[in-house]
Amino acid sequence: MQTAALAAGVSSTVIYAGFSFAVLSVPCFLMGLTIPIAAEAAQRQLRAARSKAVAEFFAMNTLGAVVGTVLCGFLLMPILGQAASLAVAASGNLLAGAIILVFLSRLPTAGSEVPSTPAPPEKPRRKRIFHEAVVLAFVLGALSLGYEKYLFRILALAYTPLPWIFSFVLCMFLLFWSAGVYLSGKMEVSTTAALALTGLSIALTPMILSFQRATSYPFPIWGGGLVHFLPALGFGVLFGTT
């Protein structure tokens, strides 16, 4: 198919983008479904009424992603290779689904469960605030993922462009992000102050990189190089607050 497309004059960029989308769309779509459904189950079925519980839930999920990044990037891929690592990931998903089925089989029957409390009707002001929060969450998602791609680029330039650098950036970004989400659930945070500090930390990033290049002595990536991930902490705080 690639040969035919190239022969027809289709750009290789379009081919790779199209195939990547076709391969990744279904599993990523299903992964995206799991966390909102789990959060909904925790709130309604397990009666986790605290709004902060959602922030803690997302923080733990992202912390799990950090563990997965470390295991895959530093252990599974180097030791087992790509195909076996993919088989391990698929087996993990199947095991998680099987555990959930076991839990479901032990839940009370439909007639004996406690009916959920109906949600109160939404007031116009609450509806407006909700729509504003959705827009803010969209913007935060776009900015945070854009900054993550920026980190992939600059840290590969500042240090050595090796595969483990990719794993390190992803791991640290998720770790700082999850820490920020967790902090938002533990303390009252001013959205304005969090936005200002996050913006300032982003603005300082290229200056720090320029200093590294000017001195020809980049900070050790496990030490001073972590300063590049402070904006991820801010993004996590903002997401949890929103």
Side-chain angles (χ1 to χ4, degrees):
M1 293 177 66
Q2 289 185 9
T3 303
L6 288 172
V10 181
S11 169
S12 59
T13 303
V14 175
I15 296 173
Y16 295 143
F19 276 114
S20 299
F21 179 81
V23 170
L24 294 174
S25 58
V26 174
C28 290
F29 176 79
L30 295 175
M31 289 178 192
L33 286 177
T34 56
I35 300 308
I37 291 175
E40 174 73 6
Q43 285 186 291
R44 291 187 181 272
Q45 298 176 13
L46 303 180
R47 303 293 189 267
R50 298 184 303 112
S51 60
K52 299 296 185 181
V54 178
E56 296 170 3
F57 189 86
F58 272 85
M60 289 305 299
N61 170 256
T62 311
L63 192 60
V66 172
V67 176
T69 302
V70 172
L71 291 177
C72 186
F74 293 97
L75 293 176
L76 292 180
M77 290 284 284
I79 296 174
L80 301 179
Q82 180 179 347
S85 298
L86 190 62
V88 170
S91 301
N93 279 275
L94 291 173
L95 177 61
I99 293 174
I100 291 173
L101 288 176
V102 171
F103 285 152
L104 288 176
S105 66
R106 297 181 178 181
L107 288 178
T109 58
S112 61
E113 63 184 8
V114 179
S116 59
T117 305
E122 283 190 303
K123 297 180 180 180
R125 183 174 177 274
R126 289 188 62 184
K127 197 172 184 179
R128 177 180 59 82
I129 293 175
F130 173 76
H131 289 161
E132 292 174 353
V134 168
V135 173
L136 179 58
F138 176 86
V139 173
L140 288 174
L143 291 175
S144 61
L145 267 295
Y147 183 73
E148 183 183 7
K149 301 303 177 188
Y150 176 72
L151 285 181
F152 282 137
R153 179 63 175 165
I154 66 169
L155 291 185
L157 293 174
Y159 300 93
T160 306
L162 295 173
W164 73 269
I165 291 289
F166 179 88
S167 296
F168 174 83
V169 172
L170 182 58
C171 177
M172 288 297 104
F173 187 91
L174 292 174
L175 181 62
F176 276 72
W177 192 90
S178 61
V181 176
Y182 182 78
L183 287 175
S184 72
K186 293 298 181 182
M187 59 184 184
E188 295 297 328
V189 181
S190 167
T191 305
T192 303
L195 280 168
L197 291 174
T198 304
L200 179 63
S201 62
I202 293 173
L204 290 175
T205 300
M207 300 180 188
I208 296 171
L209 182 66
S210 298
F211 174 78
Q212 290 177 274
R213 288 181 170 178
T215 57
S216 300
Y217 182 74
F219 302 127
I221 195 166
W222 289 100
L226 296 179
V227 71
H228 296 298
F229 297 96
L230 288 178
L233 182 71
F235 282 124
V237 170
L238 288 166
F239 181 86
T241 304
T242 304

